[in-house]
Amino acid sequence: MYNENPWVMPRELEFAEKKENKESNKQKTENVLKIIDQYIPDRPDDYSPISLAEGDGIGISELSDDQKQRALDDRMNYDRGRNDIVEMFSETSVSEEDLPVYISEVMSFEREIADFESNKRTINDVYERIWNIVVNSDSTERLKLWRRLFDEWKTVIDMQEDNDSKIDKIDDFFDTFVRGMADRGWYKKLPERNEDEILAQFKTYKEIKTFLYSLPYEIRDAYKEDNYYGEFEVPFDDLNDIPVDKNFVGQFERTFFFRAFDAHDPEQAQIYFQLFKNCFGKDPGSATKYLKAINGYGRNHLLTWQAIEGFDKKLFPAIDNRDPQIEVLQNSERGWEIERGNLGLGDFTVHSYALEVNSKNINKLLMALREVPANNLSRLEQNRKDAIAIEQFFGLLKDYIHGEKPLVREVIRAMIKYYETKDNSELESLLPDTGFLNDQKNKDKIYNLSNYDRQALIDGENHERKVIDILKRLRDNTEVVDENPPVTSDKELDDVLIRIKDKGNDISSEVLKSAFDLINEKLEEMMQDKEVGIGPNMIMAIAWLERCGYDFLKKMTYEDQQGAHKASWFHSILRFQELTASLKQFNEEEFNGFISELSGLENSKDAYKFVANRMLINTKELAKVYSKTSKSFMVGALWSGNITHELIDMTDLKPATTAYGRRHRGEQEISVHLRNIGD
């Protein structure tokens, strides 16, 4: 029979395959049953009323109806448990040839574990132990590895402890470590861990749990009852002097197991443990907040040893001081991107404290800022409300905005442009890169111009707004750079930025130079000291000042252009570029040599070619780095609408505004033309 879809099995073949599998499984089950009989035999007499009566030393007639029923129930439970164990082994991926050795190893391991659980020998207990072993062991080799590690794990179990405590520690080994190592993700299908990684993870896990077991019993007992968010008080009056609470310990365990294990990187476990030790001994409430921020960030970003320094010295104090620039970490569960590598507002905030301050990382943070769809919490919340209001008109756009996707800003701008010009070319080029927004049904809604003129009610507002007006507010609230400068933790810098804002279009090169000189000085100082962490608002301040420099260069006239390459204000902008848009570390001596050579050029055209060549080299080096990552879509932003773009453009003559300037400009054009002919 011809099958149109090669990926769909014809029904008769599917039926034949199922029948074949059923027969194969039946044979495997029979083989398993024969092996299991050696360890868990069929014992009908053990669960009969006669056996019960003999065990109690009474006659069968003296048994009550309830006792007789109990014997029958026990028998049924035994049979069910035994059958479940047989089925479990039958469904493993272990070959029939290897089953005898595999089952023998499992049953021996189960017996070893049972020695620590002296009061737990029912068929249900046996099944549970076997399940813990089998579900995480798809081969005899992996099973033997767990057994070797369990031998080491037994050193943390005190045989004098009560039985419940021993069982808890055994559960920690199987339910947390073994299962965490065996899990490959229910949707990501992560690669299977190799033995070296498992051994390295185990070393750190054992070290961590040994430390936690050493805590006072009240704490260990309390944090087990903690819920996911840790939202209740420690119910013990005598714990006030202990520098930790259950919220903190519980938060650490969740962070460690969900983040360090998921990373498939043993070093991550060590980094998280070091963070935990750094936090331990600090105020419990604060320490819990620290780990909550790291937990959110660690969902999609690996930590570095370097990041610990930035967190300890800058992020954690900012949390303690309720610094407004980290508001999203204090007051919202939102702001975290759900896809690895992407950045929500929360991700960006923590990211700015995790990197060493150098030219490459400053540029990385400036590019990251372009991904963040809102630069403060109030805008983030307003965007979410606006997205809900227009969901009925644009469908999945709401989910795209709520998901804080990288191209939110560009899509909204393109939609507004489409409404105003009826030209959808920009949307057509963007939508394929958005994933689910490119669905035809969703595109039909976006291209339906009547939707833009509809009315929508926004949560918290008592009147309707036109949809196009909501889109324009979304555009404004997703801008990378605000009209007003950000407030940083540096008052001197804030004052200089406000001066620029107050000058408006009348800003002078002297005022601009003072701002660039100040921020350059601060960046150079941080780079020389190899500081880690700069803070989100300082990055926003750099972006804001960069926009001011861009606007200033863009508005230059031909008259301003002549000789500017020798001016100190121009050199300040070039220094800023070296500090924020270069792959290589800033070199004072080399940069001064570049400025000296630039100042020695008499012809402005040659000077700006000299500058443009340096800008292009720096930009191409950065582009190579970004193009090899998931951020390749950012490459165009390196030389679009920024200072780099304007510096490269200065090789072209600006418009003249005076008669003398126009005449001189004309002479320059003739000179360039003649030179080109000569070439």
Side-chain angles (χ1 to χ4, degrees):
M1 179 185 293
Y2 174 69
N3 182 26
E4 292 184 355
N5 187 347
W7 299 107
V8 177
M9 185 180 294
R11 291 191 63 184
E12 60 268 31
L13 292 181
E14 183 179 2
F15 176 78
E17 184 176 275
K18 285 183 177 179
K19 184 177 180 180
E20 182 180 348
N21 289 339
K22 187 175 181 181
E23 290 298 322
S24 175
N25 288 339
K26 182 180 179 182
Q27 182 60 50
K28 188 175 182 181
T29 300
E30 290 176 358
N31 293 337
V32 169
L33 186 56
K34 292 175 184 177
I35 301 171
I36 287 297
D37 274 338
Q38 303 172 37
Y39 304 98
I40 309 174
D42 184 18
R43 296 185 296 205
D45 291 341
D46 290 352
Y47 297 98
S48 67
I50 295 174
S51 175
L52 181 62
E54 289 175 351
D56 291 345
I58 59 176
I60 187 72
S61 61
E62 297 179 54
L63 289 177
S64 67
D65 290 342
D66 286 345
Q67 288 175 312
K68 294 176 183 178
Q69 185 61 47
R70 189 187 75 195
L72 293 173
D73 289 344
D74 287 345
R75 169 64 189 175
M76 291 176 62
N77 186 54
Y78 182 85
D79 288 346
R80 188 185 304 113
R82 183 170 176 270
N83 290 337
D84 287 345
I85 291 170
V86 170
E87 183 180 359
M88 188 195 314
F89 280 116
S90 300
E91 292 178 350
T92 66
S93 59
V94 179
S95 68
E96 289 193 55
E97 182 182 359
D98 294 335
L99 268 176
V101 174
Y102 180 78
I103 293 176
S104 173
E105 191 73 27
V106 170
M107 298 310 297
S108 175
F109 196 3
E110 187 277 331
R111 183 70 253 182
E112 181 182 355
I113 299 167
D115 289 342
F116 286 87
E117 303 177 358
S118 55
N119 297 326
K120 301 190 73 178
R121 286 301 298 162
T122 69
I123 191 67
N124 293 336
D125 299 324
V126 174
Y127 172 84
E128 184 177 334
R129 284 189 289 269
I130 292 175
W131 186 89
N132 270 331
I133 299 168
V134 170
V135 76
N136 299 306
S137 310
D138 56 4
S139 68
T140 305
E141 290 71 26
R142 186 49 55 93
L143 171 58
K144 289 179 178 178
L145 174 60
W146 300 141
R147 196 164 187 185
R148 277 166 40 209
L149 294 180
F150 185 70
D151 284 339
E152 289 189 47
W153 186 252
K154 287 188 291 188
T155 62
V156 306
I157 302 176
D158 184 353
M159 292 304 294
Q160 304 305 314
E161 289 182 283
D162 62 86
N163 208 49
D164 286 344
S165 295
K166 288 187 287 187
I167 292 171
D168 284 344
K169 290 180 179 179
I170 292 172
D171 288 344
D172 281 342
F173 177 77
F174 282 104
D175 292 349
T176 303
F177 179 75
V178 173
R179 189 176 299 179
M181 291 295 99
D183 181 34
R184 296 177 63 185
W186 66 273
Y187 72 97
K188 294 180 182 177
K189 295 301 178 188
L190 298 168
E192 185 176 5
R193 301 174 197 268
N194 60 47
E195 184 172 326
D196 289 341
E197 181 196 339
I198 292 173
L199 293 174
Q201 294 276 23
F202 178 75
K203 180 182 178 182
T204 303
Y205 180 74
K206 183 183 175 186
E207 184 182 356
I208 289 168
K209 294 302 290 188
T210 300
F211 175 79
L212 294 178
Y213 292 151
S214 72
L215 296 175
Y217 172 79
E218 291 84 355
I219 294 178
R220 287 191 285 122
D221 183 63
Y223 79 73
K224 290 175 189 172
E225 304 303 323
D226 195 5
N227 63 19
Y228 185 80
Y229 295 104
E231 294 174 344
F232 49 81
E233 299 296 325
V234 178
F236 299 96
D237 295 334
D238 58 343
L239 296 186
N240 293 332
D241 296 329
I242 300 176
V244 66
D245 71 9
K246 65 180 178 180
N247 292 2
F248 171 54
V249 177
Q251 181 74 51
F252 167 70
E253 289 213 312
R254 288 190 297 273
T255 300
F256 178 83
F257 302 136
F258 292 158
R259 305 297 173 242
F261 281 4
D262 282 355
H264 274 245
D265 180 356
E267 189 176 33
Q268 289 296 298
Q270 289 287 347
I271 294 172
Y272 275 101
F273 188 34
Q274 185 61 54
L275 267 171
F276 174 76
K277 288 188 287 189
N278 289 3
C279 294
F280 194 78
K282 297 184 179 180
D283 173 70
S286 295
T288 302
K289 293 175 183 176
Y290 303 161
L291 289 179
K292 187 176 180 182
I294 303 306
N295 185 29
Y297 178 73
R299 180 183 301 153
N300 288 309
H301 308 276
L302 297 179
L303 299 188
T304 64
W305 290 106
Q306 199 174 60
I308 294 178
E309 180 183 343
F311 295 159
D312 281 344
K313 293 182 178 179
K314 296 185 178 181
L315 175 61
F316 296 161
I319 291 174
D320 290 339
N321 298 328
R322 299 192 66 82
D323 191 324
Q325 66 180 321
I326 53 103
E327 180 186 23
V328 68
L329 305 182
Q330 306 263 26
N331 302 313
S332 178
E333 295 296 334
R334 303 189 180 101
W336 302 109
E337 178 53 62
I338 61 174
E339 293 183 15
R340 185 173 290 278
N342 288 344
L343 292 163
L345 180 57
D347 299 277
F348 170 75
T349 300
V350 178
H351 202 50
S352 69
Y353 291 101
L355 302 179
E356 180 184 337
V357 181
N358 57 44
S359 301
K360 176 184 175 181
N361 286 337
I362 292 296
N363 189 264
K364 183 184 293 185
L365 289 168
L366 288 170
M367 291 297 104
L369 183 59
R370 289 173 174 264
E371 287 188 61
V372 180
N375 59 22
N376 63 55
L377 184 58
S378 62
R379 287 186 171 186
L380 182 68
E381 296 294 351
Q382 185 61 60
N383 290 351
R384 294 181 69 84
K385 291 179 181 179
D386 287 347
I388 292 171
I390 61 176
E391 179 182 15
Q392 59 183 310
F393 307 113
F394 301 122
L396 294 174
L397 181 62
K398 183 213 78 172
D399 297 322
Y400 202 71
I401 294 171
H402 281 196
E404 301 185 45
K405 302 300 180 185
L407 294 174
V408 165
R409 182 181 301 108
E410 288 77 7
V411 169
I412 292 171
R413 283 179 182 168
M415 289 175 68
I416 295 171
K417 180 180 179 180
Y418 167 61
Y419 174 79
E420 293 175 344
T421 66
K422 311 303 182 285
D423 177 5
N424 70 351
S425 58
E426 193 169 329
L427 271 172
E428 281 292 294
S429 64
L430 268 176
L431 291 178
D433 294 328
T434 65
F436 56 79
L437 282 187
N438 199 42
D439 173 77
Q440 189 57 51
K441 184 178 179 181
N442 206 71
K443 287 170 67 175
D444 290 343
K445 292 183 178 181
I446 291 175
Y447 289 143
N448 185 347
L449 285 169
S450 65
N451 283 336
Y452 294 72
D453 291 319
R454 303 284 289 277
Q455 297 287 323
L457 183 64
I458 299 169
D459 181 34
E461 298 184 6
N462 56 12
H463 62 279
E464 292 185 331
R465 286 179 181 264
K466 203 172 183 180
V467 169
I468 184 60
D469 293 332
I470 297 174
L471 285 172
K472 288 179 178 178
R473 179 161 68 183
L474 279 165
R475 176 197 60 195
D476 295 342
N477 282 348
T478 56
E479 284 294 334
V480 177
V481 179
D482 290 346
E483 182 180 342
N484 297 313
V487 177
T488 71
S489 55
D490 189 312
K491 187 177 185 305
E492 182 183 16
L493 178 60
D494 291 345
D495 289 343
V496 171
L497 297 184
I498 290 172
R499 280 180 61 200
I500 293 177
K501 169 63 179 173
D502 290 343
K503 291 290 183 179
N505 293 327
D506 296 327
I507 183 174
S508 65
S509 58
E510 289 77 14
V511 172
L512 194 66
K513 178 181 182 302
S514 66
F516 277 109
D517 284 346
L518 181 59
I519 208 158
N520 289 344
E521 178 186 342
K522 294 183 182 300
L523 287 175
E524 286 181 60
E525 185 177 337
M526 285 189 278
M527 290 179 187
Q528 288 168 4
D529 294 340
K530 296 187 178 300
E531 287 190 32
V532 178
I534 190 170
N537 281 22
M538 181 62 81
I539 294 299
M540 292 179 194
I542 292 171
W544 191 87
L545 187 56
E546 203 268 352
R547 176 60 62 83
C548 293
Y550 163 75
D551 289 340
F552 188 85
L553 292 174
K554 192 176 181 66
K555 294 173 183 175
M556 284 179 67
T557 65
Y558 173 79
E559 290 83 357
D560 299 327
Q561 192 177 17
Q562 300 310 299
H565 66 280
K566 297 187 177 188
S568 59
W569 68 265
F570 189 73
H571 299 166
S572 294
I573 290 179
L574 292 176
R575 180 180 287 262
F576 175 81
Q577 282 300 97
E578 292 290 316
L579 293 167
T580 63
S582 174
L583 188 63
K584 58 183 181 291
Q585 183 62 11
F586 180 73
N587 184 314
E588 177 80 25
E589 183 178 351
E590 190 277 335
F591 177 76
N592 287 341
F594 162 70
I595 292 298
S596 177
E597 188 173 352
L598 174 66
S599 300
L601 296 173
E602 295 302 324
N603 183 282
S604 294
K605 188 75 174 177
D606 293 338
Y608 296 128
K609 282 185 178 180
F610 185 58
V611 170
N613 183 59
R614 188 177 180 93
M615 295 302 106
L616 286 170
I617 291 173
N618 287 345
T619 303
K620 287 178 181 178
E621 287 177 347
L622 287 169
K624 285 181 182 178
V625 173
Y626 289 122
S627 64
K628 295 177 182 178
T629 69
S630 60
K631 308 298 181 185
S632 57
F633 63 88
M634 290 297 231
V635 169
L638 291 170
W639 49 56
S640 174
N642 54 18
I643 287 178
T644 297
H645 178 270
E646 288 307 309
L647 288 173
I648 294 172
D649 257 15
M650 286 187 74
T651 54
D652 294 329
L653 300 178
K654 299 274 188 179
T657 57
T658 65
Y660 175 79
R662 284 188 286 272
R663 185 171 66 254
H664 192 273
R665 187 179 187 280
E667 293 171 356
Q668 284 278 23
E669 287 181 327
I670 293 172
S671 174
V672 170
H673 178 67
L674 292 175
R675 188 188 306 177
N676 289 338
I677 292 175
D679 294 341

